[in-house]
Amino acid sequence: MPRQARDKSKTGIYHVMLRGINKQKIFHDDGDREKFINILKRNKRESQIKVYGWCLMENHIHLLLGEGKEDISISMKRIGVGFVWYYNGKYKRTGHLFQDRYRSEKVETDEYLLTVIRYIHQNPVKAGLVKDSKDWPWSSCGVYYGECDYQVDFADREMILGMFSEDESIAVSRFKEYNEQVNEDACLDEENKRMTDEEAKHEIMKIVVGRGLDKVQDLPKKDRKEIIRAVKRIKGVSQRQAARILGVSDNLLFKV
């Protein structure tokens, strides 16, 4: 059966995700991530794509791209093939690395553009890998904050920052405030189906067994953090939902 053609974005901007086959790792070390960035850089030059944002996780990749002089599918094929060729050579394997074709969604409004870039930057936070988005070195967050010279010329950040102010320092400050807001953004992720409160409570009880939900906020700080981090790793439970069930503030849960 022929593959269904993808819908074209009126703006030429797409949120793209690549995931490892069977959710396997696609990055084993920083060298792998560096190689992917270099492949993306090369294709940016050749295809003239815009790279508005990125986040390289362990088994998947989020990109926010603007179409260049060719269809986005051609650019993505080049990027994917280039990395698979490198990966298979380095790890002496054959066959597919990525799960099916890349997934993508159109980004056609300013509001959704900002939602997607925030979602991409908060991926490592919501996965419990870092406390703050800027602490994950393999995303564009630090570049947007002006706190990372690395890749500063690679990120096309001017358009998004310009939505906040024409003055760069004001724009960065306002963007940072927006980027760190507690939210329940769910963009292009098949695992973002939300549980009901009853389902979420059942899963959380498995973690706090023997303590009781009403006791979590009174636990020693170290124990409370361990529980919250474990709860945040439950797929399908939103942070606001978890905070409500645990009886803690949204801000506390978000920052742990």
Side-chain angles (χ1 to χ4, degrees), residues 80-138:
V81 168
F83 187 74
V84 171
W85 183 85
Y86 153 82
Y87 185 96
N88 283 354
K90 178 178 178 179
Y91 295 106
K92 296 178 172 53
R93 67 183 294 277
T94 59
H96 298 290
L97 174 62
F98 296 117
Q99 180 177 299
D100 302 321
R101 292 191 295 173
Y102 69 93
R103 299 183 65 213
S104 67
E105 63 178 345
K106 300 178 293 183
V107 180
E108 298 184 318
T109 66
D110 289 351
E111 180 182 10
Y112 196 57
L113 179 66
L114 295 178
T115 296
V116 172
I117 192 67
R118 180 171 66 186
Y119 172 79
I120 288 174
H121 287 162
Q122 289 192 6
N123 243 234
V125 175
K126 292 182 177 180
L129 299 175
V130 291
K131 182 179 178 181
D132 298 308
S133 299
K134 65 180 177 62
D135 293 334
W136 186 249
W138 298 103

Side-chain angles (χ1 to χ4, degrees), residues 21-215:
I21 192 167
N22 297 322
K23 300 181 182 179
Q24 73 178 50
K25 286 184 180 181
I26 53 180
F27 300 116
H28 298 275
D29 55 35
D30 286 350
D32 293 342
R33 293 184 174 93
E34 185 73 47
K35 183 64 178 181
F36 183 87
I37 291 293
N38 288 335
I39 290 171
L40 188 57
K41 276 185 178 180
R42 184 177 71 241
N43 280 274
K44 176 179 167 66
R45 292 193 300 269
E46 294 174 353
S47 305
Q48 297 176 18
I49 56 176
K50 294 287 187 180
V51 181
Y52 299 114
W54 67 87
C55 184
L56 311 186
M57 299 292 281
E58 188 174 74
N59 68 353
H60 67 283
I61 302 161
H62 285 281
L63 302 172
L64 183 55
L65 304 177
E67 203 165 55
K69 64 181 182 180
E70 62 189 14
D71 191 274
I72 193 70
S73 63
I74 297 174
S75 300
M76 286 307 303
K77 183 176 181 180
R78 286 179 177 172
I79 292 167
V81 168
F83 187 74
V84 171
W85 183 85
Y86 153 82
Y87 185 96
N88 283 354
K90 178 178 178 179
Y91 295 106
K92 296 178 172 53
R93 67 183 294 277
T94 59
H96 298 290
L97 174 62
F98 296 117
Q99 180 177 299
D100 302 321
R101 292 191 295 173
Y102 69 93
R103 299 183 65 213
S104 67
E105 63 178 345
K106 300 178 293 183
V107 180
E108 298 184 318
T109 66
D110 289 351
E111 180 182 10
Y112 196 57
L113 179 66
L114 295 178
T115 296
V116 172
I117 192 67
R118 180 171 66 186
Y119 172 79
I120 288 174
H121 287 162
Q122 289 192 6
N123 243 234
V125 175
K126 292 182 177 180
L129 299 175
V130 291
K131 182 179 178 181
D132 298 308
S133 299
K134 65 180 177 62
D135 293 334
W136 186 249
W138 298 103
S139 86
S140 50
C141 185
V143 179
Y144 271 86
Y145 285 6
E147 298 179 6
C148 176
D149 293 333
Y150 175 69
Q151 312 294 8
V152 69
D153 296 329
F154 173 48
D156 295 292
R157 66 177 194 150
E158 293 81 7
M159 180 177 71
I160 289 177
L161 288 182
M163 294 178 184
F164 293 89
S165 175
E166 293 181 359
D167 182 287
E168 183 175 342
S169 62
I170 295 174
V172 169
S173 177
R174 291 176 178 172
F175 175 82
K176 185 174 182 179
E177 181 180 1
Y178 172 83
N179 196 56
E180 295 180 359
Q181 288 176 358
V182 177
N183 64 81
E184 295 185 15
D185 298 338
C187 308
L188 193 63
D189 198 328
E190 62 201 14
E191 296 181 353
N192 272 319
K193 182 180 179 181
R194 298 299 185 196
M195 293 185 187
T196 65
D197 277 3
E198 185 177 350
E199 291 170 334
K201 184 176 180 180
H202 177 73
E203 292 301 314
I204 291 173
M205 283 297 294
K206 295 177 182 177
I207 294 172
V208 301
V209 61
R211 289 188 173 98
L213 293 173
D214 59 336
K215 303 296 184 183

